[in-house]
Structures are given as C-alpha cells and as structure tokens.
Amino acid sequence: MSAQELAAALPPEASAPGFRIVGTPTLRTGGSTWGADAEPEVCRPLWEARAGGSDRAVASASLSISHSDTALETRFLTFASLGPGQADAFVASVGKALASCASTSFVSSRGDRVTTQVEEVTEPTVAGYDAVSFRMRWHSEIDGFAADTYILVTTLRAGDATLTEVADISPGSRLSAARQGAFVPKLYPDPLKAQADSLREAQSRTAAG
C-alpha cells in the first residue's frame, strides 16, 4: 500500500469515540532511522516501534490523536506497509527484544545518553491480531525543569502492514508517585481493534484493485 492509501485508511474522528484527532495525516515513504543510536543493539526494535514501525517499511501514514481523559497525553497512530512476511518478522523482533531488554538507552536531542526502563504489558491487547505492547519510562532535566516521561507502545500485524500506537506523556517529577501514576498511559483495546480492522479492510480493497 502507498502512503496515500494508508492515510485514507486512518480513522475519521467519528469512528474514534473518546478521542480527538489533532491535525492532518503525515505521509512518509520508507522507514524511520530513529533510534539507530540505541543500546544495546538487541533493543533497537523497541525504538523502531517507538518511532511508529519497522525501519524496513515501504510507506507509512501517521495521525496525532488525544484522549479526552487527559489533555497532557499525546498519541500517535501509524499505519505502515511492509514487504511480504516483514510485518510478521517485525512484530516478532519486538517480542524478542522485550525478552532481553529490561532497560535500554538512547541519545537525547541535547547529546546526553538517557537510560529508560522497559516493561512488557502482559494484559490482553487486541483480539484477533498478533500484537505486543510495552511501557518505557525515563527521567530528564532540561533547563532546571525535571520530568518523568511515560511511553506506551502497542504494535500489531495486519497482513503485510503494521499498526503502531504510541502514547506519550511527561508530567513534572515533583508530583508524588501516586499523582504520577494517574498519568501513566492506558491501553484501549477496542479502538485499536477497530483501527486494525480498518487497515485490514483497506488492504483487501487495494489487493482487489
């Protein structure tokens, strides 16, 4: 599927109850190289997923959405098209990385190396799809402001394409542990399943010509 076809399969606001769509889709040809500096190397599939999908993607389309529960949280939904068998291989590589990576590190925009904790989400994710989900958390200080960043990444395979949702929030670290816990991104399986169904149906239409 082309980036334009993937964008057309992204959900309209009416089909995403509880969510608000922010802006317009971002289209890209090829995969992302974000996270190439991640260590150790076995953990890099986690950063590919964090960036929206495999670095071997042929094309992708992304949409920014926010949930009505909190205005501080941002979610990015990405549909990505891959070659035959590569979507399955990518999801499997993320699962393999999770088995080896309780923590990983990356180089921030300021040039310092930041370590993030990684935790697999073992609760049921999306019925009918091969899916993996995990959380990341790291602490940072920029110009005197300290914040803890919480990330929730869910990626799944739908035919020769992947759907990846990334939830991102950075509350101030001066909040109590209980208050920070209230900001941890939640998993919403039902909207993810509806979005995955839309992606699979779009693939069927494309294949039928």
Side-chain angles (χ1 to χ4, degrees):
M1 295 178 70
S2 68
Q4 290 78 10
E5 290 168 333
L6 291 165
L10 288 167
E13 193 152 0
S15 67
F19 289 87
R20 179 173 60 90
I21 292 175
V22 182
T24 57
T26 299
L27 281 61
R28 184 172 63 198
T29 300
S32 170
T33 58
W34 198 85
D37 55 13
E39 295 180 353
E41 186 173 357
V42 69
C43 302
R44 289 184 184 176
L46 303 180
W47 294 98
E48 291 182 45
R50 165 73 178 85
S54 171
D55 62 3
R56 294 177 295 278
V58 175
S60 65
S62 302
L63 191 63
S64 178
I65 59 178
S66 64
H67 194 270
S68 57
D69 282 352
T70 173
L72 296 177
E73 179 187 290
T74 300
R75 292 183 181 239
F76 299 94
L77 175 67
T78 302
F79 288 173
S81 177
L82 292 91
Q86 290 189 5
D88 185 50
F90 172 64
V91 174
S93 74
V94 175
K96 182 178 179 180
L98 283 172
S100 303
C101 302
S103 65
T104 178
S105 68
F106 67 100
V107 176
S108 74
S109 59
R110 298 171 64 88
D112 54 331
R113 184 162 287 278
V114 179
T115 297
T116 175
Q117 305 304 309
V118 180
E119 178 186 10
E120 183 174 8
V121 176
T122 57
E123 63 192 79
T125 51
V126 186
Y129 292 89
D130 294 330
V132 290
S133 186
F134 61 93
R135 300 184 188 278
M136 289 178 158
R137 176 186 177 183
W138 65 82
H139 179 81
S140 60
E141 295 187 18
I142 301 176
D143 298 329
F145 178 77
D148 289 306
T149 297
Y150 296 88
I151 306 288
L152 173 64
V153 181
T154 301
T155 189
L156 61 84
R157 178 183 66 84
D160 287 326
T162 58
L163 177 159
T164 303
E165 183 187 73
V166 179
D168 187 325
I169 189 169
S170 297
S173 63
R174 293 181 181 178
L175 297 175
S176 66
R179 288 287 304 279
Q180 285 199 28
F183 288 106
V184 174
K186 300 178 179 64
L187 183 67
Y188 298 98
D190 291 343
L192 282 171
K193 185 178 187 315
Q195 293 155 5
D197 289 345
S198 175
L199 175 58
R200 187 159 58 183
E201 290 165 4
Q203 288 182 90
S204 297
R205 291 193 299 270
T206 300

